[in-house]
Amino acid sequence: MSGVGFGMGQRPVNRRQRAVKSLWTGIWLVYLSAPVTDLLHGGHGTGVTILGWIGLAALVTWYMLLVFRTGRGERNTLVLASLGVLAAQSTLLALTLGREWLVLFVYVSIASGAALPLRMARWTIPAACALLTAVALATHDGMAYLAGLLIPALLGGFAMTGVRELVRTTIALREARATVAQLAANEERLRLARDLHDLLGHSLSLITLKSELAGRMLPGRPDQAAQQVADIEQVSRQALVDVREAVTGYRRPRLHAELAGARVALTAAGVAAGLPAEPGLDGVPEESESALAWALREAVTNVVRHSGARRCTVELLHRQTLDGPVLELTVEDNGSGGPGTGHGNGLAGLTERLTKAGGSLEAGPLKQGFRLVARVPTAGPADVGSPA
């Protein structure tokens, strides 16, 4: 933030901001008018007046340094030592120059509240007030000033403890807000990585398969090869659209579109496909349908790229479970075991998607082949169905 304004608890970063904070901190020095008036018109000798000005300047410097760095978290030992110096200066000046200088103890109390944590300030503030009382008793006619200084010293000191805690809380909230923003950015990067993995893995696999088919058909069947090339162009254009939508965060794949895409991909790979008819999605939340669509895409991509299967069956069923009605997607092939012995990035991403939608994922090898089962909750009544 630039200019003269800056947030509470935020360190000034330029001269104008430092000047504003110095003004805010130093405005309370107006109460030093009594000692200043005493130095100007109190009839002290030249030497005493010079020493009084030096002592007052040193005390104001100590005070400003302590209050200016409110909430910075300095070592308490150093702060206590500084407060001790401030209290000693106040005591010496009040005892030597008179009752007008008792006001300095108000600044000792305020500096205690501003620079120390509450667990220590609750002792140092009363101690400063007690020292004020003792010095007032030892100063000529000091009791006349005591009643008007004790309450400001107590209230000012404890008020500054509140200001200190407010500053520290503001700093903590600012740091927490920055952390939340960073976590949100990380989550968005993870979402984009999952989407790109799922989108490009499927589309590039299909493009590779159709390119191989076109290469085999080209010498003897140019018309069919041209059809494969046209399909490649269509898939690449759709992949470009999908990537753009994924980047902007608006893409939600639909089950019927993914089923059609699965049929094309499996047929191109020479895998016999058993797919359900148009699914009934009444009562299925959009987020749940999107999660199942991603699961279908990832499963079919793994079948095409990794399994070496000759047959793949997809089932989409409504079931009633102990947790309520669910829509269950099962993808099973007779290949060599799917994507490997462990879950890769695709299955890990699917687990995150389904969990976020309130669903679950089961995936593992069969005696011959691999099976993936994804479930998502539905809002409507469940009935046991069968694949078409």
Side-chain angles (χ1 to χ4, degrees):
M1 189 181 299
S2 60
V4 296
F6 56 93
M8 176 173 288
Q10 185 175 2
R11 300 187 182 189
V13 296
N14 55 45
R15 290 182 178 179
R16 297 180 68 183
Q17 291 183 3
R18 293 188 186 96
V20 170
K21 188 162 186 177
S22 298
L23 179 62
W24 176 83
T25 306
I27 194 172
W28 305 105
L29 296 179
V30 67
Y31 293 105
L32 292 178
S33 58
V36 171
T37 301
D38 181 64
L39 287 175
L40 293 176
H41 308 291
H44 301 294
T46 303
V48 174
T49 301
I50 293 175
L51 292 176
W53 281 113
I54 293 174
L56 185 61
L59 183 139
V60 170
T61 302
W62 278 112
Y63 167 79
M64 292 290 288
L65 288 175
L66 283 172
V67 178
F68 194 83
R69 299 181 65 82
T70 298
R72 295 289 182 85
E74 288 85 352
R75 291 176 299 176
N76 292 329
T77 303
L78 179 61
V79 175
L80 286 172
S82 300
L83 288 172
V85 173
L86 200 65
Q89 288 178 327
S90 301
T91 301
L92 180 61
L93 290 170
L95 290 176
T96 56
L97 295 177
R99 62 181 185 176
E100 289 81 3
W101 295 79
L102 291 172
V103 71
L104 300 182
F105 288 98
V106 175
Y107 295 95
V108 176
S109 178
I110 290 174
S112 298
L116 288 174
L118 180 60
R119 69 178 187 278
M120 302 182 70
R122 64 182 179 179
W123 299 109
T124 57
I125 293 173
C129 294
L131 183 58
L132 166 62
T133 303
V135 175
L137 291 173
T139 303
H140 175 67
D141 204 17
M143 293 301 295
Y145 277 45
L146 181 61
L149 294 177
L150 269 179
I151 293 179
L154 279 171
L155 293 182
F158 283 110
M160 286 306 296
T161 62
V163 172
R164 172 188 167 88
E165 292 304 313
L166 180 60
V167 169
R168 291 172 63 87
T169 301
T170 302
I171 293 173
L173 287 175
R174 185 176 291 111
E175 293 174 350
R177 185 166 54 189
T179 301
V180 170
Q182 182 63 38
L183 291 175
N186 291 340
E187 177 63 24
E188 182 63 14
R189 281 194 290 268
L190 287 175
R191 181 198 68 80
L192 184 58
R194 288 196 303 264
D195 287 359
L196 290 178
H197 172 273
D198 295 343
L199 288 168
L200 295 180
H202 177 82
S203 299
L204 292 177
S205 297
L206 189 55
I207 289 173
T208 301
L209 286 171
K210 286 189 170 290
S211 298
E212 292 174 353
L213 283 175
R216 291 197 297 266
M217 293 174 178
L218 193 57
R221 291 175 288 174
D223 292 341
Q224 295 181 11
Q227 180 59 47
Q228 296 298 326
V229 171
D231 291 345
I232 292 172
E233 180 183 3
Q234 181 181 0
V235 171
S236 62
R237 290 182 182 277
Q238 183 60 44
L240 181 60
V241 173
D242 290 345
V243 168
R244 286 173 177 169
E245 292 178 347
V247 170
T248 56
Y250 294 124
R251 185 177 194 278
R252 282 188 179 272
R254 311 300 297 222
L255 262 177
H256 63 84
E258 293 303 323
L259 285 169
R263 185 182 301 277
V264 172
L266 292 171
T267 302
V271 179
L275 299 172
E278 188 74 15
L281 300 176
D282 294 339
V284 179
E286 185 178 355
E287 185 178 10
S288 297
E289 181 189 354
S290 176
L292 277 190
W294 283 118
L296 177 60
R297 169 173 285 218
E298 176 65 21
V300 171
T301 300
N302 286 336
V303 170
V304 170
R305 294 176 61 185
H306 305 295
S307 69
R310 307 308 302 171
R311 176 179 52 82
C312 177
T313 303
V314 178
E315 295 181 350
L316 194 61
L317 305 174
H318 287 275
R319 293 190 183 279
Q320 180 68 45
T321 68
L322 294 177
D323 295 327
V326 299
L327 182 61
E328 179 181 278
L329 171 73
T330 303
V331 181
E332 183 176 329
D333 66 75
N334 64 345
S336 58
T341 57
H343 286 197
N345 292 332
L347 294 183
L350 282 184
T351 302
E352 294 176 6
R353 291 181 190 277
L354 289 165
T355 301
K356 188 175 181 180
S360 62
L361 178 70
E362 298 175 7
L366 303 172
K367 184 176 181 181
Q368 182 179 3
F370 192 86
R371 175 187 293 159
L372 180 145
V373 181
R375 300 181 183 89
V376 292
T378 63
D383 57 283
V384 178
S386 59

